[in-house]
């Protein structure tokens, strides 16, 4: 029985290691490379963030963002995507709600994030991916993870003026993904065109169907 989203990803990487998993306008990544690069990100994060905390992401939608998300999950954490077009006070309010010790960005958005002055340490995804693998640390974290652990946090639109974070667990996404696969009859031959931003909940359909099926 699969208990974590990581189980889906690793099973698919073992079956279809060289198949393209995700692609954007600049680059693409195969399933085996996704696992490897995510583990490197996790190896960097594990000494810096306690398990079951939230790692914020301030990046455009793309391959590197997915690598970062899965790296946070390998580190035993949840991820939360922030909207680059939100005004600084709103982003600061979200980060304070998340109480996150870490925000990950890329060089293209570093200055923009620094102007927001977030109450968290800023790390660059490019540098995280250069970290050597620490399989021992990864194994220790993995042994402590359960399916009720948080996978990601999405914020509501904030119609009251105050965005509210909604915590989604591994088990919730596993069950939803299994149901959606059966209901729609998806297979590894699908190509999903991701239209939803990663801070919007429907993007999970594209991300996790891909990881489950090898689509």
């Amino acid at each position: 029985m699969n208990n974590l989203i990581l189980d889906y990803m690793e099973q698919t990487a073992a079956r279809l290691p060289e198949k393209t998993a995700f692609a954007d306008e600049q680059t693409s990544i195969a399933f085996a490379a996704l696992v490897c690069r995510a583990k490197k990100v996790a190896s960097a994060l594990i000494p810096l963030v306690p398990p079951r905390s939230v790692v914020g992401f301030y990046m455009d939608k793309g391959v590197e963002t997915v690598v970062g998300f899965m790296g946070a999950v390998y580190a035993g954490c949840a991820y939360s995507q922030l909207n680059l077009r939100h005004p600084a006070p709103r982003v600061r309010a979200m980060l304070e709600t998340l109480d996150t010790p870490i925000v990950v960005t890329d060089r293209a958005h570093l200055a923009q994030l620094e102007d927001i002055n977030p109450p968290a340490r800023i790390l660059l995804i490019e540098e995280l991916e250069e970290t050597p693998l620490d399989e021992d640390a990864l194994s220790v974290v993995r042994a402590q993870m359960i399916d009720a652990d948080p996978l990601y946090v999405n914020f509501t639109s904030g119609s009251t003026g105050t965005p509210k974070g909604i915590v989604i667990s591994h088990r919730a996404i596993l069950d939803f993904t299994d149901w959606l696969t059966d209901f729609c009859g998806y297979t590894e031959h699908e190509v999903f065109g991701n239209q939803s931003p990663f801070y919007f909940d429907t993007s999970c359909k594209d991300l996790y169907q891909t990881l489950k099926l090898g689509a």
Side-chain angles (χ1 to χ4, degrees):
M1 178 180 178
N2 292 312
N3 292 317
L4 303 170
I5 285 300
L6 299 177
D7 296 327
Y8 276 162
M9 184 166 65
E10 291 168 350
Q11 289 161 12
T12 298
R15 185 170 59 90
L16 301 166
E18 300 306 318
K19 185 178 180 184
T20 297
F22 297 98
D24 57 33
E25 294 91 339
Q26 285 78 41
T27 188
S28 63
I29 189 169
F31 284 102
L34 174 60
V35 170
C36 181
R37 287 166 61 179
K39 284 184 173 182
K40 288 184 177 182
V41 172
S43 297
L45 290 176
I46 286 171
L48 304 175
V49 289
R52 301 180 179 88
S53 58
V54 183
V55 178
F57 283 85
Y58 195 80
M59 300 166 58
D60 271 327
K61 181 173 66 174
V63 166
E64 293 293 334
T65 313
V66 178
V67 170
F69 287 172
M70 293 301 103
V73 177
Y74 266 119
C77 299
Y79 63 84
S80 186
Q81 173 72 20
L82 300 161
N83 189 335
L84 300 176
R85 286 171 288 280
H86 277 173
R90 189 178 183 89
V91 175
R92 280 197 296 269
M94 290 178 176
L95 290 172
E96 288 167 359
T97 297
L98 293 172
D99 192 26
T100 178
I102 295 294
V103 181
V104 177
T105 189
D106 53 17
R107 291 189 176 95
H109 297 96
L110 177 60
Q112 183 177 335
L113 180 59
E114 288 177 332
D115 285 343
I116 293 172
N117 190 27
R121 181 177 175 183
I122 299 172
L123 299 178
L124 288 172
I125 188 68
E126 295 93 343
E127 295 178 357
L128 295 178
E129 286 199 51
E130 294 175 356
T131 305
L133 278 176
D134 188 341
E135 293 287 5
D136 290 339
L138 288 164
S139 296
V140 170
V141 169
R142 186 67 166 269
Q144 299 171 358
M145 295 175 69
I146 61 173
D147 61 358
D149 284 346
L151 174 62
Y152 65 86
V153 178
N154 270 5
F155 280 88
T156 67
S157 57
S159 57
T160 63
T162 304
K164 297 174 179 62
I166 309 300
V167 181
I168 310 297
S169 70
H170 284 257
R171 175 49 54 194
I173 289 298
L174 287 166
D175 289 346
F176 176 70
T177 302
D178 289 345
W179 171 82
L180 191 63
T181 298
D182 292 341
F183 183 79
C184 295
Y186 291 140
T187 73
E188 68 183 59
H189 302 296
E190 314 298 338
V191 178
F192 295 104
N194 174 242
Q195 300 182 59
S196 299
F198 287 159
Y199 55 80
F200 192 59
D201 200 42
T202 55
S203 66
C204 72
K205 298 176 182 177
D206 308 322
L207 288 176
Y208 296 114
Q209 289 292 314
T210 297
L211 294 180
K212 172 184 169 66
L213 297 169

